[in-house]
């Protein structure tokens, strides 16, 4: 029961750090020469597709690729969330050439197939799809079906945001949408010729469309991510404080439990002292047992946290708040194990000291 309690509480300690870590990794991976053009009135007001062509003609712009949310779901696996987008395929691949690593032949196959689809290895494994498969998907937003050919599987390189994503041709997505929903973009990624002109170019783009019905809000890729994190910063800060309070609770529970265990075994320790074991050895045994309990609690915490973050909490946050995929880095996992071991050892310090100080006669005569 002690190990179970420690495991549950340490898993709660892991959660906020995994959330903060995912957001910080996404900021670190943001390209310095990118700005994102999105609707000023929110995602419910899409951008006309002509904006992408106009942006590509703008001075200082190297490339621009429009994207539209597809909101796909796999029949029979409706509870599995994954990001899905219709993109201007050639321009999208050119912009993310070094981030989405895939064989050149597979990329060409995707570009040359109007019904082609490109997705990560991780997502393909989750969905049970393989290269060359012909699949049918539906959308949460439109009563239609899309036939897709799996043409390209990629491995993200410094692009955790793409680990759970599927990409298809924008034209293929657009043709099957209701007439009133066609010829629209959800956002447009713009690659700049000069990374140092990001703020200036963002302002220029917004001024260009300031008088149009579909006004824009343009942010640098990194700034947009920081803004997104800012919305959750208060919540994450509160969780951070709570996580330290959890450690304090773990410390008190372990301290009380280990003190009771040591007190109940006082006569046993007295017998060990009587047959020749030293006080130092008795203290080391108490501390060692505590360390094993803490280590087992930390391992249990990771066994709880991994499936919850990857299979429940992560997909929910990705779907509702556009969070990046949640993972537990090796450093955080080791910190969890170290915290369990350190807290348990610290909790056993005073009981170990007291039992080592008792004489043989006093230990044998004590009634527990």
């Amino acid at each position: 029961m002690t190990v179970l309690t420690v495991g549950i509480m340490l898993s709660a300690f892991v959660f906020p750090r995994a959330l903060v870590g995912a957001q910080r990794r996404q900021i670190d991976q943001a390209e310095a020469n990118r700005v994102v053009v999105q609707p000023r009135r929110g995602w419910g007001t899409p951008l006309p597709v002509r904006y992408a062509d106009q942006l590509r003609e703008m001075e200082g712009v190297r490339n621009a690729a429009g994207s539209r949310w597809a909101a796909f779901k796999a029949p029979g696996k409706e509870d599995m969330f994954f990001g899905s987008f219709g993109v201007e395929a050639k321009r999208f691949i050119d912009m993310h050439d070094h981030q989405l690593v895939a064989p050149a032949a597979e990329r060409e196959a995707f570009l040359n197939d109007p019904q082609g689809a490109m997705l990560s290895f991780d997502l393909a494994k989750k969905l049970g799809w393989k290269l060359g498969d012909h699949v049918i998907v539906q959308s949460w937003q439109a009563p239609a079906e899309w036939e897709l050919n799996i043409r390209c599987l990629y491995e993200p390189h410094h692009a955790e945001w793409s680990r759970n994503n599927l990409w298809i041709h924008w034209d293929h997505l657009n043709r099957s949408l209701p007439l009133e929903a066609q010829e629209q973009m959800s956002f447009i990624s713009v690659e700049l010729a000069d990374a140092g002109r990001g703020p200036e170019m963002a302002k220029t783009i917004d001024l260009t469309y300031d008088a149009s019905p579909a006004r824009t809000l343009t942010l640098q890729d990194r700034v947009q991510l920081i803004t997104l994190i800012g919305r959750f910063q208060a919540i994450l800060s509160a969780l951070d404080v709570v996580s330290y309070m959890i450690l304090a609770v773990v410390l008190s529970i372990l301290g009380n439990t280990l003190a009771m265990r040591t007190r109940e075994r006082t006569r046993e320790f007295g017998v060990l002292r009587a047959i020749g074991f030293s006080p130092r050895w008795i203290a080391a045994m108490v501390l060692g047992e505590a360390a094993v309990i803490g280590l087992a609690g930390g391992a249990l915490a990771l066994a709880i946290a991994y499936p919850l973050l990857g299979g429940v909490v992560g997909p929910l946050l990705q779907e509702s708040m556009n969070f990046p995929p949640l993972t537990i880095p090796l450093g955080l996992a080791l910190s969890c194990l170290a915290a369990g071991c350190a807290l348990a050892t610290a909790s056993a310090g005073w009981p170990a000291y007291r039992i080592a100080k008792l004489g043989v006669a006093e230990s044998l005569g004590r009634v527990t």
Side-chain angles (χ1 to χ4, degrees):
M1 291 299 296
T2 302
V3 171
L4 179 61
T5 302
V6 172
I8 292 173
M9 290 193 167
L10 284 179
S11 66
F13 173 75
V14 169
F15 273 35
R17 272 147 191 78
L19 295 175
V20 174
Q23 292 286 13
R24 294 196 184 283
R25 285 194 304 275
Q26 193 173 23
I27 291 176
D28 293 339
Q29 294 169 0
E31 297 288 337
N33 64 337
R34 304 266 175 85
V35 297
V36 179
V37 183
Q38 56 194 10
R40 180 172 289 275
R41 295 181 181 178
W43 301 114
T45 309
L47 302 174
V49 68
R50 69 175 187 276
Y51 280 17
D53 294 325
Q54 294 169 355
L55 288 168
R56 284 190 281 269
E57 298 298 324
M58 188 174 293
E59 183 182 356
V61 173
R62 179 180 297 165
N63 198 357
S67 302
R68 174 162 187 152
W69 308 110
F72 283 156
K73 57 182 177 180
K77 298 182 179 180
E78 285 82 1
D79 57 339
M80 181 181 295
F81 169 79
F82 56 93
S84 52
F85 306 84
V87 296
E88 296 178 296
K90 180 65 169 65
R91 299 185 182 278
F92 174 81
I93 285 182
D94 289 344
M95 287 181 63
H96 301 88
D97 177 70
H98 62 289
Q99 293 178 303
L100 309 181
V101 181
E106 293 184 18
R107 291 190 180 193
E108 286 300 319
F110 167 63
L111 292 174
N112 294 329
D113 185 352
Q115 294 183 335
M118 180 174 70
L119 66 161
S120 70
F121 278 101
D122 289 351
L123 180 57
K125 185 177 180 180
K126 291 178 184 178
L127 294 172
W129 295 349
K130 302 183 299 297
L131 196 66
D133 281 358
H134 180 81
V135 300
I136 296 177
V137 296
Q138 300 169 335
S139 174
W140 296 102
Q141 298 180 347
E145 292 185 342
W146 285 263
E147 296 186 23
L148 306 178
N149 301 315
I150 309 303
R151 297 300 187 194
C152 181
L153 300 178
Y154 65 82
E155 188 67 44
H157 177 66
H158 295 300
E160 291 296 318
W161 50 269
S162 67
R163 191 169 292 279
N164 200 47
N165 285 352
L166 166 74
W167 317 90
I168 71 168
H169 292 259
W170 178 83
D171 290 333
H172 184 41
L173 174 66
N174 186 59
R175 282 193 298 268
S176 299
L177 292 172
L179 188 61
E180 66 275 8
Q182 294 182 4
E183 303 301 317
Q184 297 172 351
M185 295 287 189
S186 298
F187 60 94
I188 302 169
S189 299
V190 179
E191 183 179 11
L192 306 178
D194 183 358
R197 294 185 60 195
E200 175 190 344
M201 289 299 299
K203 184 176 181 180
T204 300
I205 292 171
D206 287 342
L207 286 175
T208 300
Y209 298 106
D210 192 52
S212 64
R215 299 174 64 195
T216 62
L217 174 63
T218 306
L219 297 172
Q220 289 178 276
D221 199 9
R222 188 180 298 270
V223 172
Q224 184 187 33
L225 293 173
I226 293 174
T227 302
L228 179 64
I229 290 178
R231 300 175 187 175
F232 311 112
Q233 191 62 50
I235 297 175
L236 294 177
S237 298
L239 288 174
D240 197 44
V241 173
V242 170
S243 69
Y244 285 106
M245 294 175 63
I246 289 172
L247 291 184
V249 173
V250 172
L251 186 65
S252 64
I253 291 175
L254 282 172
N256 181 62
T257 302
L258 295 174
M260 289 178 60
R261 282 171 54 86
T262 304
R263 187 166 55 251
E264 291 168 354
R265 299 166 62 196
T266 301
R267 296 186 67 182
E268 297 177 20
F269 293 131
V271 172
L272 291 175
R273 290 288 306 280
I275 62 177
F277 287 93
S278 67
R280 183 175 297 179
W281 193 95
I282 298 296
M285 186 177 69
V286 173
L287 293 174
E289 288 180 352
V292 170
I293 291 174
L295 194 62
L300 179 60
L302 294 177
I304 294 171
Y306 271 107
L308 277 180
L309 283 174
V312 180
V313 178
L316 286 175
L317 290 177
Q318 290 175 51
E319 181 176 4
S320 59
M321 300 181 182
N322 198 32
F323 248 69
L326 295 181
T327 59
I328 301 178
L330 178 60
L332 180 57
L334 294 176
S335 297
C336 178
L337 294 174
C341 189
L343 287 172
T345 306
S347 301
W350 178 245
Y353 174 79
R354 291 189 61 188
I355 202 67
K357 285 295 184 181
L358 286 178
V360 176
E362 188 177 1
S363 299
L364 291 173
R366 176 164 293 192
V367 178
T368 57

